Amino acid sequence: MNTLIQDFIQATNAFDVEAALGLFATDAVIDDASVGDAFVGKTRIRDYLEAFFVRYHTVTTLISLKFSGDRQVEAHVGFTGDFGQETGVLMVRIDADGRIDRIDADLD
């Protein structure tokens, strides 16, 4: 799971939306409280990645990981980009096939 989180961060930091999307299950969800919306399915996740990573030149730094069972991890991260600097939490759930099934995201 650690590798999957690192692959996600590497893909988004490279603004490689296709590589990032390849890490998600088809019906995955990103629910981001900081933007007040949930993005369901790969089409909407693409919209999210393009809007909040590519457009704002967001670079993510992993601060720490806290595992919660076999398929869930809490990633504390730092974000820098055109908006400045923020920290936040990504609660990442992995499906049985090793794909990201859900991310609940929020800024600190």
Side-chain angles (χ1 to χ4, degrees), residues 36-104:
D37 202 356
F39 301 81
V40 180
K42 286 193 175 186
T43 298
R44 291 284 288 139
I45 291 172
R46 174 189 301 281
D47 295 342
Y48 177 83
L49 296 173
E50 289 175 351
F52 298 106
F53 286 85
V54 176
R55 189 172 303 138
Y56 287 104
H57 303 105
T58 300
V59 174
T60 306
T61 304
L62 181 62
I63 297 169
S64 67
L65 289 176
K66 180 180 177 184
F67 294 90
S68 175
D70 291 352
R71 295 191 180 146
Q72 188 161 308
V73 64
E74 180 179 317
H76 288 264
V77 294
F79 299 109
T80 58
D82 295 345
F83 53 85
Q85 186 173 0
E86 299 281 349
T87 58
V89 175
L90 305 175
M91 293 296 296
V92 182
R93 189 175 69 199
I94 309 303
D95 70 9
D97 295 324
R99 301 269 183 220
I100 298 170
D101 179 52
R102 182 178 183 91
I103 296 178
D104 290 291

Side-chain angles (χ1 to χ4, degrees), residues 30-39 48 52 103-107:
I30 295 178
D31 189 349
D32 190 334
S34 64
V35 300
D37 202 356
F39 301 81
Y48 177 83
F52 298 106
I103 296 178
D104 290 291
D106 201 1
L107 298 177

Side-chain angles (χ1 to χ4, degrees), residues 8-45:
F8 174 73
I9 291 171
Q10 181 179 355
T12 57
N13 285 352
F15 310 116
D16 188 342
V17 173
E18 293 304 318
L21 282 173
L23 303 172
F24 284 86
T26 302
D27 57 350
V29 175
I30 295 178
D31 189 349
D32 190 334
S34 64
V35 300
D37 202 356
F39 301 81
V40 180
K42 286 193 175 186
T43 298
R44 291 284 288 139
I45 291 172

